[in-house]
Amino acid sequence: MLYLFLQADTIAAETTQKAVPIIEILLTQTGWFFLIPLLLMSFIAVYIFFERFVKIQKANDIDNDFMTQIQKYMLDGNIKAAENLCAEEDTPISHMVQKGIRRIGKPLRSIEIAIENEGRIELLKLEKNLAYLATIAGAAPMVGFLGTVTGMINAFYQISNSGSSV
């Protein structure tokens, strides 16, 4: 039994080859042509993801006393202070409330429409660049697959040119 293990180690030692750095393989093969766009798309996707994540987290940060203070100002009749408080906060909710406060005195339906429109605008701001992320998510696998197919074609071509010495 020990003889079999020693024989296996000897065979493994004879068949091992010198390790080649991955960068050398990439630069000498045709795969780098597809790797550069994939890396670029990867960096862009990661940047967009984290940028949107931070922006959405910031928009989600809501001061618990904000609406209480707005209600207090409105009940006191201090509309200007309520509007100033909304201007100080830089969140989608404060922008929507500010739009509603500016419409005070107009019909209720007009105020509702103004707040809904402001909500749509804020939503568009939060969704900014997500279309690029979706495009990258759809295109990157196709570029990777194209690189794989090209590599396989190249491998089979090399095998056919080598003849019987494969």
Side-chain angles (χ1 to χ4, degrees):
M1 186 65 120
L2 181 62
Y3 177 73
L4 289 175
F5 288 129
L6 291 175
Q7 188 177 8
D9 284 344
T10 308
I11 293 170
E14 291 173 0
T15 59
T16 57
Q17 296 178 351
K18 182 182 135 193
V20 180
I22 189 79
I23 196 75
E24 184 178 324
I25 294 171
L26 292 175
L27 293 178
T28 58
Q29 302 296 319
T30 57
W32 65 269
F33 182 74
F34 297 103
L35 184 67
I36 291 173
L38 279 174
L39 286 174
L40 185 64
M41 285 189 278
S42 173
F43 289 132
I44 292 171
V46 168
Y47 170 77
I48 291 172
F49 172 78
F50 282 112
E51 188 264 338
R52 286 293 93 196
F53 180 77
V54 168
K55 193 68 131 179
I56 290 171
Q57 287 297 329
K58 183 181 173 197
N60 199 27
D61 254 354
I62 301 170
D63 185 13
N64 293 334
D65 297 329
F66 175 73
M67 289 308 288
T68 308
Q69 289 176 327
I70 292 291
Q71 185 179 17
K72 180 180 173 258
Y73 288 143
M74 295 303 288
L75 291 174
D76 291 342
N78 196 350
I79 295 172
K80 193 65 176 166
E83 193 173 344
N84 288 338
L85 180 62
C86 289
E88 289 172 7
E89 294 281 327
D90 190 24
T91 62
I93 291 177
S94 68
H95 296 160
M96 291 167 49
V97 171
Q98 185 178 25
K99 185 65 96 171
I101 290 173
R102 287 181 181 164
R103 296 271 185 180
I104 288 182
K106 296 189 177 172
L108 184 59
R109 185 67 188 141
S110 173
I111 296 172
E112 288 176 359
I113 291 172
I115 292 173
E116 286 175 5
N117 287 339
E118 186 66 26
R120 287 188 192 105
I121 290 170
E122 292 299 323
L123 187 61
L124 285 174
K125 288 179 186 177
L126 291 175
E127 291 177 347
K128 179 182 150 193
N129 291 334
L130 289 184
Y132 294 122
L133 193 59
T135 302
I136 289 171
M142 295 302 125
V143 172
F145 184 64
L146 181 62
T148 302
V149 169
T150 305
M152 293 301 293
I153 291 171
N154 189 20
F156 287 129
Y157 178 74
Q158 295 296 330
I159 289 171
S160 69
N161 282 344
S162 66
S164 63
S165 64
V166 175

